[in-house]
Amino acid sequence: MTFNSTLDSIKTYETGRPIELVVREYGIAEDAVVKLASNENPLGASPKAIEAIIKNAQNAHLYPDDSMFALKESLAKHFDVDKNTLIIGSGSDQIIEFCIHAKANEKSKILMAKTTFAMYEVYAKAVGAEVVRTKSHEHNLTEFLESYKQHKPEILFLCIPNNPLGECLDSKETFEFLKQVDKNCLIVIDGAYQEYAKAKDLSKAIQPKELINTFPNAIYLGTFSKAYGLGGMRVGYGIANAEIIQALSKLRPPFNITTPSLAAAIAALEDKEHIKKSVENNLAQMPLFENFAKENGFDFTPSYTNFITYYFKAPLDSTKVADYLLQKGMIIRNLASYGLNAIRITIGTKEQNEKFFALFNTYLNQK
Ligand SMILES: *Cc1c(COP(=O)(O)O)cnc(C)c1O
């Protein structure tokens, strides 16, 4: 069978290995496996969110509220924005897809950093659009401006902070850059890790309200999968002016969020204590990862997220490191598929992190 030729250049997205796979393949007990691969919240979901999921299981036979009234009301209050500036997706991934389908086709260009979230490229290629990348791996606004002027892309992605590298643009400088972007270019600000960035350095915080009031052509994306600890529930959101929201809404499949997911997201948003604890654990543990890198001579990007990226020099090889750790029941993310001799480690609990350092030390000492 032949398929759409746009699929030929797409590589299937590689997710963090699931715990079940390590149990199956290496015979390691499920509770001995540590997953620091997908930037999930190591403290788990808010207990209030879990309660909401269980409570709403009773309504499993009913379609969810497709207007998503209650979650939109919570988000509108949280961000101090109007309800009609919101769209909810099955993860913010789905909203990335809506953005590209709404705006791009085989004649379009889409601009992004050299090394950034892989799904931007997957959706871009699916519609046959040309992906334009800046030269540096990390976000560099001077390069973005040059590339923007040269290519006049239909869509511009800024991942603030950036996955998988962890760096974060300054919000004032970002706004200055965006002022030079044409109003017909869709600006996508992916804020999947903003909760962590904000807690570390307020000058990195993007206020969605200020963003969309300043730039009618911008959309802010947020997710419940990272700091809010609900990766398994698949809820993300977009905040933009009504014109953009109305366009994207035409592409949204009905009932794209389940009832328990909607309830969980509302509860998670309200549990300020859990978010605070999660962000604090991250801030407290991050320096241990920086010290470990320094002790072992690895370069790393100072991170504004809940992960850190270590860069290796030959003969140390990221694929061998990742494979060794996997066999020991420690799942981390190898960045070889990005063309980097690097690994990305999600910051876990103190115990998980200690296990990571111990295993990695054993590997380094046996070489
Ligand atoms: C995790 C992530 C997302 C979206 O995750 P969902 O689970 O689909 O909400 C989007 N962008 C970046 C950069 C991410 O790391």
Side-chain angles (χ1 to χ4, degrees):
M1 190 185 289
T2 56
F3 291 98
N4 201 327
S5 64
T6 56
L7 299 190
D8 295 348
S9 64
I10 297 178
K11 278 187 282 182
T12 305
Y13 183 79
E14 186 192 328
T15 61
R17 308 280 175 93
I19 289 173
E20 294 79 352
L21 178 136
V22 180
V23 172
R24 246 184 356 253
E25 286 195 4
Y26 302 103
I28 296 170
E30 187 174 334
D31 55 7
V33 179
V34 176
K35 186 182 176 201
L36 300 178
S38 298
N39 309 334
E40 294 146 326
N41 184 335
L43 306 186
S46 149
K48 290 179 180 133
I50 294 169
E51 213 175 285
I53 292 166
I54 295 168
K55 206 169 129 215
N56 278 277
Q58 290 166 13
N59 290 327
H61 61 299
L62 297 176
Y63 275 115
D65 168 18
D66 192 56
S67 76
M68 306 185 204
F69 181 88
L71 176 56
K72 283 188 183 169
E73 197 157 73
S74 295
L75 283 168
K77 204 170 109 207
H78 183 81
F79 288 109
D80 187 26
V81 293
D82 201 275
K83 275 220 309 269
N84 68 9
T85 65
L86 292 164
I87 184 166
I88 314 294
S90 173
S92 57
D93 248 314
Q94 193 179 34
I95 303 175
I96 296 169
E97 186 181 8
F98 296 159
C99 288
I100 291 178
H101 279 265
K103 186 72 186 157
N105 57 38
E106 67 286 347
K107 295 191 203 79
S108 309
K109 291 181 178 181
I110 302 182
L111 177 60
M112 62 191 77
K114 178 163 177 185
T115 300
T116 190
F117 193 49
M119 290 311 295
Y120 308 153
E121 170 167 318
V122 171
Y123 295 127
K125 285 186 167 171
V127 298
E130 181 187 342
V131 174
V132 179
R133 294 179 184 275
T134 56
K135 264 198 231 76
S136 306
H137 284 288
E138 298 185 359
H139 285 65
N140 175 316
L141 288 176
T142 311
E143 291 178 10
F144 262 94
L145 185 59
E146 260 172 40
S147 269
Y148 175 76
K149 285 182 175 161
Q150 186 186 342
H151 295 281
K152 292 284 170 192
E154 268 70 26
I155 309 179
L156 167 66
F157 279 98
L158 294 177
C159 194
I160 310 177
N162 187 25
N163 178 15
L165 301 182
E167 90 279 7
C168 193
L169 288 170
D170 177 273
S171 56
K172 273 214 185 75
E173 288 169 15
T174 303
F175 271 53
E176 284 310 309
F177 161 64
L178 294 180
K179 283 178 188 157
Q180 309 186 58
V181 170
D182 190 84
K183 290 289 173 277
N184 194 36
C185 172
L186 179 63
I187 298 162
V188 183
I189 304 289
D190 188 338
Y193 301 93
Q194 268 285 316
E195 290 83 4
Y196 296 106
K198 242 183 314 213
K200 181 172 173 178
D201 181 351
L202 268 180
S203 73
K204 309 290 185 190
I206 301 278
Q207 305 295 348
K209 181 183 180 173
E210 189 191 354
L211 178 77
I212 68 169
N213 285 345
T214 315
F215 305 106
N217 51 330
I219 181 164
Y220 175 91
L221 304 185
T223 178
F224 285 94
S225 300
K226 308 286 161 56
Y228 285 102
L230 292 174
M233 301 310 289
R234 314 302 306 124
V235 192
Y237 52 90
I239 307 177
N241 284 292
E243 183 195 15
I244 297 176
I245 297 300
Q246 281 162 18
L248 303 188
S249 297
K250 293 181 181 176
L251 297 167
R252 185 180 65 81
F255 312 118
N256 59 330
I257 315 295
T258 70
T259 306
S261 296
L262 289 168
I266 295 167
L269 205 55
E270 283 167 2
D271 192 346
K272 307 268 190 258
E273 195 51 43
H274 188 70
I275 269 285
K276 187 160 167 266
K277 252 200 316 207
S278 306
V279 167
E280 277 170 3
N281 172 71
N282 195 63
L283 285 175
Q285 293 296 308
M286 184 67 82
L288 305 183
F289 280 87
E290 294 173 351
N291 290 341
F292 185 84
K294 286 175 195 157
E295 282 161 16
N296 289 287
F298 311 146
D299 286 335
F300 63 92
T301 302
S303 173
Y304 292 85
T305 65
N306 66 336
F307 60 81
I308 189 164
T309 293
Y310 287 170
Y311 301 88
F312 300 144
K313 291 181 197 82
L316 196 59
D317 178 76
S318 67
T319 303
K320 288 190 183 136
V321 170
D323 286 348
Y324 171 85
L325 293 171
L326 192 66
Q327 285 168 30
K328 302 288 175 192
M330 172 66 59
I331 318 174
I332 52 99
R333 188 74 150 83
N334 177 15
L335 298 184
S337 63
Y338 289 86
L340 294 171
N341 184 14
I343 60 170
R344 187 193 72 191
I345 315 111
T346 303
I347 310 304
T349 61
K350 183 167 176 283
E351 294 69 28
Q352 292 175 324
N353 300 338
E354 280 167 359
K355 191 165 174 182
F356 168 79
F357 297 135
L359 282 170
F360 202 171
N361 267 328
T362 306
Y363 178 77
L364 293 169
N365 291 334
Q366 75 181 16
K367 295 204 80 195

